[in-house]
């Protein structure tokens, strides 16, 4: 079977809140790195006789909220292209599921690409990033490889992702598993609660958007210290508005690891920085030459290392 393969991405500068929930229009411009070893494979076939979509994930038929999210994305894609046929979607996730890492970025990027392929349309990568956004905000960025910026924009046309011209193959992401299996409020729900309840949300939006330029400068200079500090600032700004809205995604183990990372940095002079998403796990940013030392200094932490990955590709199985 022919599949579209999309990798997951991790934001250095976070997206956390929607100005328009129907098209996943964000309040913030965000910047991410596409990972090279966690991905989703998806095939879409049109079924002109079907009365609804069928979605098979990892050989099991999807139901409930997960099914509804896929069906809604397909509805948006059908509407966009003026088509009516329902689909059979076959998908395989190769993500770090055990750690509770979300796969919506790779899943909806692969779904958009596979749908476009199924109807035989030709679209640019920029347009594909808009179509992926209709399924999930972070999927907008997974269309591209490398270092990616998602311009928040003001409407469907102006909110898209593009690859930044940065070649930094030594960059590494260390995915930690701190508390596997912990159930949390989904990003989708959590960001809505935050927009509604956080007192300083509008200040957060401004502070976050003010980090875009310094981050791009730091990436252009391949300055891991500057990139790392901005990444931590972005994550902590997001956490602050989450907490204001009553959302705690960290556990004591998360906070303890943050302290350990800071002390590895100061005691051992190793450039290692953290970020997190809507969950208890940290993702660490560093360079290839420091990976073994960091793993040695964190003997009790389960870690998976990832390099910088490519954008959407074709795959067979
Ligand atoms: C904390 O993209 O999962 O990971 O747009 O509702 O699908 P939806 O949300 P999602 O949110 C990701 C939020 C984040 C930060 C980020 O990836 O920028």
């Amino acid at each position: 079977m022919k599949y579209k393969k999309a990798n997951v991405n991790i934001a250095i500068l976070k997206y956390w809140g929607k100005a328009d929930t129907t098209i996943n229009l964000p309040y913030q411009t965000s910047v991410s790195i596409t990972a090279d070893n966690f991905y989703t494979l998806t095939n879409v076939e049109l079924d002109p006789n079907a009365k609804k979509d069928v979605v098979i994930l990892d050989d099991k038929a999807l139901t409930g909220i997960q099914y509804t999210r896929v069906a809604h994305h397909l509805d948006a894609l059908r509407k966009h292209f003026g088509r009516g046929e329902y689909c059979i979607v076959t998908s395989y996730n190769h993500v770090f599921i055990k750690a509770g890492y979300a796969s919506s970025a790779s899943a909806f990027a692969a779904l958009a690409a596979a749908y476009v392929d199924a109807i035989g349309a030709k679209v640019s990568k920029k347009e594909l990033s808009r179509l992926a956004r209709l399924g999930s905000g972070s999927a907008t960025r997974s269309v591209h490889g490398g270092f990616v910026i998602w311009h928040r924009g003001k409407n469907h046309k102006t909110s898209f992702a593009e690859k930044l011209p940065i070649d930094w193959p030594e960059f590494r992401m260390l995915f930690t598993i701190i508390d596997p299996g912990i159930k949390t409020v989904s990003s989708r729900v959590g960001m809505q609660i935050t927009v509604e309840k956080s007192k300083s949300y509008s200040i957060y939006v401004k502070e976050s958007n003010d980090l875009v330029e310094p981050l791009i400068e730091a990436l252009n200079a391949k300055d891991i210290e500057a990139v790392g500090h901005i990444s931590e600032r972005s994550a902590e700004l997001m956490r602050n508005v989450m907490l204001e809205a009553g959302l705690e995604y960290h556990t004591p183990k998360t906070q303890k690891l943050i302290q350990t990372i800071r002390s590895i940095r100061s005691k051992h002079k190793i450039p290692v920085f953290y970020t997190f998403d809507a969950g208890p796990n940290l993702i660490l940013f560093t360079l290839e030459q420091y990976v073994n030392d960091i793993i040695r200094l964190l003997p009790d932490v389960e870690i998976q290392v990832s390099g910088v990955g490519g954008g959407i590709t074709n795959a067979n199985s």
Side-chain angles (χ1 to χ4, degrees), residues 151-172:
H151 304 281
R152 61 177 168 154
K154 288 193 159 64
N155 49 39
H156 179 65
K157 183 154 183 273
T158 52
S159 186
F160 61 86
E162 62 185 348
K163 189 174 173 2
L164 291 164
I166 291 158
D167 188 25
W168 198 357
E170 302 82 15
F171 199 95
R172 290 290 178 279

Side-chain angles (χ1 to χ4, degrees), residues 3-224:
Y3 293 92
K4 289 289 175 184
K5 176 182 173 194
N7 288 319
V8 306
N9 72 76
I10 295 296
I12 319 175
L13 185 55
K14 301 290 171 185
Y15 143 59
W16 191 253
K18 301 173 202 215
D20 183 334
T21 53
T22 49
I23 58 166
N24 293 326
L25 190 68
Y27 278 114
Q28 316 67 12
T29 287
S30 54
V31 175
S32 63
I33 311 148
T34 303
D36 67 0
N37 54 359
F38 304 124
Y39 57 91
T40 303
L41 294 175
T42 298
N43 170 275
V44 170
E45 268 167 46
L46 303 179
D47 183 353
N49 301 317
K51 301 270 185 295
K52 60 183 267 202
D53 296 308
V54 173
V55 185
I56 314 285
L57 173 64
D58 295 330
D59 297 322
K60 278 193 221 104
L62 269 196
T63 54
I65 180 85
Q66 281 183 303
Y67 171 83
T68 309
R69 279 194 66 177
V70 173
H72 276 163
H73 191 198
L74 289 169
D75 283 344
L77 295 170
R78 280 187 280 265
K79 189 168 166 216
H80 179 87
F81 288 102
R83 301 190 67 115
E85 310 95 325
Y86 287 104
C87 305
I88 303 167
V89 179
T90 310
S91 199
Y92 291 94
N93 259 337
H94 295 262
V95 286
F96 208 12
I97 288 184
K98 188 177 150 201
Y101 283 109
S103 56
S104 72
S106 54
F108 289 97
L111 183 63
Y115 182 81
V116 166
D117 196 50
I119 62 169
K122 292 266 174 288
V123 303
S124 67
K125 280 235 164 164
K126 189 195 266 190
E127 177 65 356
L128 190 56
S129 80
R130 295 185 185 106
L131 299 175
R133 169 173 45 72
L134 299 175
S136 171
S138 53
T140 315
R141 300 181 307 236
S142 271
V143 166
H144 303 283
F147 293 81
V148 178
I149 185 164
W150 172 17
H151 304 281
R152 61 177 168 154
K154 288 193 159 64
N155 49 39
H156 179 65
K157 183 154 183 273
T158 52
S159 186
F160 61 86
E162 62 185 348
K163 189 174 173 2
L164 291 164
I166 291 158
D167 188 25
W168 198 357
E170 302 82 15
F171 199 95
R172 290 290 178 279
M173 286 166 269
L174 276 56
F175 290 71
T176 69
I177 305 184
I178 295 176
D179 271 313
I182 284 207
K183 290 259 178 291
T184 53
V185 179
S186 72
S187 298
R188 179 148 298 193
V189 173
M191 63 177 82
Q192 271 319 104
I193 295 175
T194 307
V195 171
E196 282 159 26
K197 294 200 175 157
S198 154
K199 288 194 303 291
S200 61
Y201 189 75
S202 57
I203 300 169
Y204 160 59
V205 169
K206 182 175 179 328
E207 285 177 329
S208 178
N209 286 321
D210 284 348
L211 291 175
V212 175
E213 268 186 40
L215 176 56
I216 290 178
E217 261 177 47
L219 287 169
N220 280 329
K222 296 194 195 174
D223 181 343
I224 186 69

